[in-house]
Amino acid sequence: MEKGRFHLTLPGDLVGEPVIHTLGSRFGVVTTIRRANLEEGSGWIILEIEGTDEAIESAIAWARERGVTVDRIEGT
């Protein structure tokens, strides 16, 4: 199992959607929120994702397709 830490920036229309839950259930990864700030118009999350390389990459690709900006935090 691999683990990575990511900074996700959500546009306002996704703040109320279960993006993190969907990552876990749809792609079989384990997600841990380390820090977050969600408001009505936007939000960001520091998220650890654990799973196979393929599952993590698929989850990140899906999030980007939805409009989430995803940046890997180096050193993780």
Side-chain angles (χ1 to χ4, degrees), residues 1-71:
M1 295 290 254
E2 298 295 322
K3 186 185 284 190
R5 189 174 284 203
F6 300 87
H7 182 272
L8 283 63
T9 305
L10 285 73
D13 60 329
L14 290 182
V15 170
E17 301 229 359
V19 174
I20 306 306
H21 171 75
T22 302
L23 290 177
S25 64
R26 186 170 181 178
F27 298 99
V29 295
V30 176
T31 58
T32 304
I33 297 171
R34 292 298 179 192
R35 186 174 288 193
N37 182 28
L38 300 174
E39 298 176 8
E40 190 171 321
S42 65
W44 59 266
I45 303 167
I46 303 296
L47 186 69
E48 278 185 2
I49 303 175
E50 185 174 348
T52 65
D53 280 339
E54 182 178 311
I56 292 171
E57 291 301 318
S58 295
I60 295 304
W62 175 85
R64 287 181 172 142
E65 289 171 8
R66 299 277 303 159
V68 178
T69 301
V70 181
D71 297 303

